[in-house]
Amino acid sequence: MKTFSAAQRNRNIHRMKTESFDLAIIGGGITGAGTSRDATSRGMKVALVEASDFASGTSSRSSKLIHGGIRYLENLEFGLVFEALSERKILFEIAPHLVHPLKFVIPIYKNSKVGMFKMGLGMWLYDVLSMFDAPETHEAINEGDALKRFPLLQSSGLVGAYGYYDAYMDDDRLTIETHRSAFNNGAVSANYVKVVDVIYENSKVVALICKDLIQGDVFQIQAKHFVSSVGPWTDIFGREVLKNWNTVLRPTKGIHLTFDRKRLPLKEAIVMLDDAKNRIVFGIPRHEMIIIGTTDTDYPGNPSDVHTDKLDVEYLLSMIAEYFPGANITEQDIIASYSGVRPLVYDGSATEGKTSREHKIWSDPRNITFVAGGKYTTYRHMAEQIVDFVLEAFPIEERARFAHPNTKKALNEKASHDNFQRALQQTEEWSRAFKKPEAEVRLLAERHGLEALDLLEKSKSENYRSHWQVEAYQAISNAMCLNLDDFYLRRSPLFLSLKDHGDSLLNDIVEVFVKELGWSDSQIKEQIDRLENHKKTEMCWR
Ligand code: FAD
């Protein structure tokens, strides 16, 4: 059976070297993954390369929300909100193991810029734009009920609250599952392959020159057309690889902090309004942790160097103190931080916050289609627009042949809407059959749908001792996971959610990597150092 495994990566690179493609995509975040899935669903032959790990750029550093964007209502960006809410509905359907409904509550205070009445109108509009298709329509909450639901909430000046539905997700796994789905359609993709140059013929790019950052060799990918989906690296790619380049981005940095659920016990997500900065900060409860974020500050640096600063941490702690003064949250309570760069397109706005979140697709005469900006939530639709745009570079017969995308089906058939429900219903039976605690089996079913059964069988045959060992196996064999940090940061929530960042699980997890990838002692040390280096760089504020 074809698996999207670490071993498959070598076979894919061999094909990149020896075949030619309709489309070659540069960048394997959610935009590249979505484009690859869309193009292959139309029958195009696609190659995709990612310079680091899949989703290691912005796509694992988001607020992890699939949302209409209540904030955009204020800017009257109704089209953006409608599109996002329509896509939210599709994602619930095609990725139920990755996208989960979540209730959000916005407390309103006497001095809030938007009072109860105006916020109520916004809530109605949000329901209308979602065609009343959220798990529930919005609710008005009185002051007393708001305090019952959030006992630690600032009570002084509170006049009431509104509740509405959106969704949270596993951003990294959504990207990787999208790559996997594209691979099942025929995409030939590889992580840790960087585009370092291009080959021109008659001023048009005809091939990419790529460096395999694992094996070290340099090779070419020939294609009829190229897509750049390098997100916040767009200007760097333009300047360094294409040379003649005018700056297009206004990148901004956003950081998040994670907390133990017991330390900041939120049962529903909270929307904290920073009226002075005209910003929103979310408090998001997930099954493994609480996430607080985000910030939005200009970031002119290289996205590869982004990390959280002391000022970012102080700002988010001050928002928590304002809304939950009784919780006494301090720096010591923070488990981890993460930071990302928004690939926003420069539009002349006065501030970061006012810069549009809309994506932009444009064609470059050098035979490359560029895309930048946008939101996770709308990636599927955005990918469809990108490929439609790309097809304009193709002859009419091929345009007709590749005209119809097919991306509204499950990302993973074993986690289709029905199979996901089936898996959840079978957890008790599997728990008995495999003599495993039901909570552990349920977690597997929630993360993998019916694929959990294959994993339980594997766990039994390999005598795995812990849930995270079987997850490590799944990451290596079905999610092209090559490194320990790929696993800790982008295939599991261990780094972000555990007080010790998952150090106590290290031996168990390394054991699986050694078995599957044949690591030597020196490789194990190198891998642990990589993970430690990430911690030192990202959490240098501590
Ligand atoms: P990236 O994920 O950055 O992918 C670009 C990739 O290109 C990188 O992996 C990079 O390694 C690769 N690359 C660069 N150069 C090369 C090269 N030379 N060769 C090969 N590969 C290369 N959206 C939502 O809908 N919901 C949210 O809750 C949300 N929260 C956000 C919070 C923050 C703080 C930020 C920053 C963004 C948020 N977004 C959210 C927006 C969303 O995360 C981004 O729009 C999306 O992840 C961008 O994905 P991308 O694929 O375009 O870029």
Side-chain angles (χ1 to χ4, degrees):
M1 196 179 98
K2 274 199 340 173
T3 54
F4 193 56
S5 60
Q8 180 67 36
R9 178 184 175 275
N10 296 336
R11 292 191 281 275
N12 286 359
I13 290 179
H14 178 72
R15 288 191 58 194
M16 288 176 187
K17 291 175 180 172
T18 52
E19 299 178 20
S20 68
F21 298 85
D22 292 316
L23 197 62
I25 301 171
I26 310 149
I30 191 61
T31 309
T35 307
S36 172
R37 178 171 187 255
D38 185 284
T40 48
S41 81
R42 301 170 188 237
M44 295 180 89
K45 188 172 171 189
V46 174
L48 178 145
V49 284
E50 160 54 51
S52 177
D53 186 20
F54 297 127
S56 59
T58 311
S59 298
S60 54
R61 297 149 183 267
S62 77
S63 301
K64 308 183 194 294
L65 299 177
I66 293 297
H67 59 155
I70 204 97
R71 187 169 86 87
Y72 308 130
L73 289 180
E74 209 186 337
N75 298 344
L76 309 180
E77 294 182 278
F78 300 137
L80 196 64
V81 178
F82 177 73
E83 183 187 314
L85 290 172
S86 311
E87 286 299 307
R88 183 185 71 184
K89 181 172 182 231
I90 295 171
L91 286 172
F92 277 144
E93 201 56 40
I94 71 174
H97 58 316
L98 299 167
V99 181
H100 315 278
L102 178 65
K103 182 90 172 229
F104 287 69
V105 172
I106 313 182
I108 307 286
Y109 290 87
K110 263 191 209 130
N111 58 354
S112 294
K113 201 171 91 190
V114 179
M116 282 301 277
F117 178 72
K118 195 168 164 203
M119 188 62 81
L121 291 179
M123 291 283 120
W124 275 112
L125 198 53
Y126 207 60
D127 283 338
V128 169
L129 291 170
S130 77
M131 317 272 271
F132 295 96
D133 206 32
E136 278 171 28
T137 51
H138 80 271
E139 59 168 332
I141 305 166
N142 66 34
E143 179 206 340
D145 285 346
L147 289 171
K148 267 190 214 137
R149 281 153 79 157
F150 296 92
L152 295 174
L153 186 66
Q154 171 68 272
S155 57
S156 166
L158 184 69
V159 288
Y162 279 102
Y164 67 97
Y165 264 95
D166 257 324
Y168 75 99
M169 58 144 173
D170 290 352
D171 54 1
D172 35 25
R173 291 179 62 230
L174 180 57
T175 296
I176 293 160
E177 198 77 311
T178 304
H179 278 298
R180 194 177 170 202
S181 171
F183 167 72
N184 283 327
N185 290 343
V188 179
S189 5
N191 47 5
Y192 294 99
V193 173
K194 182 173 181 180
V195 175
V196 289
D197 209 342
V198 289
I199 294 180
Y200 290 101
E201 252 173 41
N202 301 324
S203 311
K204 305 252 179 237
V205 174
V206 291
L208 303 174
I209 302 185
C210 302
K211 180 156 190 193
D212 177 348
L213 300 178
I214 305 284
Q215 305 293 343
D217 51 341
V218 174
F219 63 92
Q220 291 181 18
I221 301 178
Q222 324 273 344
K224 291 180 191 157
H225 191 78
F226 301 86
V227 167
S228 162
S229 50
V230 297
W233 282 265
T234 300
D235 285 325
I236 295 176
F237 177 74
R239 273 195 302 272
E240 290 181 1
V241 178
L242 301 178
K243 313 291 187 305
N244 183 7
W245 186 254
N246 295 323
T247 301
V248 291
L249 295 187
R250 178 182 188 165
T252 70
K253 174 168 108 167
I255 77 117
H256 294 83
L257 303 175
T258 65
F259 296 87
D260 191 308
R261 287 191 66 131
K262 289 197 201 83
R263 190 63 192 88
L264 191 57
L266 303 178
K267 290 204 180 76
E268 296 165 325
I270 189 107
V271 184
M272 298 179 268
L273 307 170
D274 178 352
D275 286 342
K277 286 202 161 80
N278 205 14
R279 302 215 59 256
I280 278 179
V281 173
F282 292 108
I284 308 157
R286 302 170 53 93
H287 26 275
E288 25 5 37
M289 61 187 151
I290 302 286
I291 297 181
I292 303 284
T294 179
T295 57
D296 194 10
T297 47
D298 279 325
Y299 182 78
N302 187 323
S304 308
D305 301 331
V306 69
H307 58 264
T308 299
D309 291 317
K310 192 97 181 160
L311 276 179
D312 301 321
V313 173
E314 283 168 3
Y315 170 69
L316 291 183
L317 286 178
S318 75
M319 285 300 287
I320 302 173
E322 192 181 324
Y323 272 79
F324 298 101
N328 293 319
I329 297 288
T330 69
E331 207 180 283
Q332 298 313 312
D333 295 307
I334 299 169
I335 293 181
S337 62
Y338 64 93
S339 48
V341 182
R342 294 179 188 82
L344 304 184
V345 178
Y346 179 77
D347 62 4
S349 295
T351 62
E352 299 95 321
K354 287 245 174 294
T355 306
S356 172
R357 316 279 128 161
E358 291 251 33
H359 62 277
K360 184 176 170 193
I361 305 167
W362 72 101
S363 84
D364 185 287
R366 285 167 283 202
N367 195 29
I368 308 185
T369 295
F370 278 85
V371 54
K375 286 165 49 126
Y376 233 108
T377 308
T378 46
Y379 88 91
R380 193 206 59 87
H381 184 56
M382 191 166 114
E384 194 172 308
Q385 292 174 345
I386 296 165
V387 180
D388 284 344
F389 203 91
V390 158
L391 286 179
E392 287 173 24
F394 282 69
I396 186 116
E397 323 77 70
E398 290 190 330
R399 261 189 258 169
R401 185 149 63 97
F402 300 138
H404 304 294
N406 178 12
T407 56
K408 289 190 184 165
K409 59 179 190 189
L411 277 187
N412 174 347
E413 191 39 46
K414 290 199 172 179
S416 68
H417 189 270
D418 291 351
N419 283 340
F420 183 65
Q421 292 309 325
R422 239 170 250 142
L424 295 184
Q425 282 155 14
Q426 288 182 45
T427 53
E428 208 184 312
E429 189 188 321
W430 289 344
S431 158
R432 264 185 271 114
F434 289 93
K435 300 191 177 56
K436 288 221 177 266
E438 200 185 337
E440 195 177 315
V441 175
R442 192 168 174 89
L443 183 58
L444 262 188
E446 280 171 354
R447 283 171 60 87
H448 304 285
L450 280 185
E451 215 173 355
L453 184 56
D454 307 341
L455 297 176
L456 284 165
E457 272 157 10
K458 181 72 187 174
S459 182
K460 187 174 170 197
S461 69
E462 295 287 331
N463 270 323
Y464 287 145
R465 292 177 300 281
S466 83
H467 169 83
W468 295 109
Q469 282 189 307
V470 75
E471 288 284 354
Y473 165 79
Q474 169 72 351
I476 297 164
S477 351
N478 285 308
M480 213 179 268
C481 180
L482 305 184
N483 297 296
L484 213 47
D485 59 346
D486 299 344
F487 180 69
Y488 268 76
L489 297 169
R490 288 172 291 277
R491 309 293 188 288
S492 73
L494 296 179
F495 185 85
L496 291 183
S497 66
L498 298 182
K499 258 238 134 60
D500 70 348
H501 304 291
D503 285 355
S504 57
L505 297 163
L506 204 57
N507 288 343
D508 280 359
I509 289 164
V510 165
E511 189 183 301
V512 179
F513 274 83
V514 168
K515 172 120 199 263
E516 298 299 324
L517 299 180
W519 284 352
S520 61
D521 286 351
S522 65
Q523 280 174 307
I524 296 172
K525 184 176 173 322
E526 232 171 76
Q527 289 286 334
I528 295 174
D529 287 350
R530 262 177 80 121
L531 189 55
E532 275 303 307
N533 279 342
H534 171 82
K535 194 191 313 177
K536 275 197 204 118
T537 314
E538 168 52 40
M539 308 229 337
C540 61
W541 53 265
R542 180 160 263 171

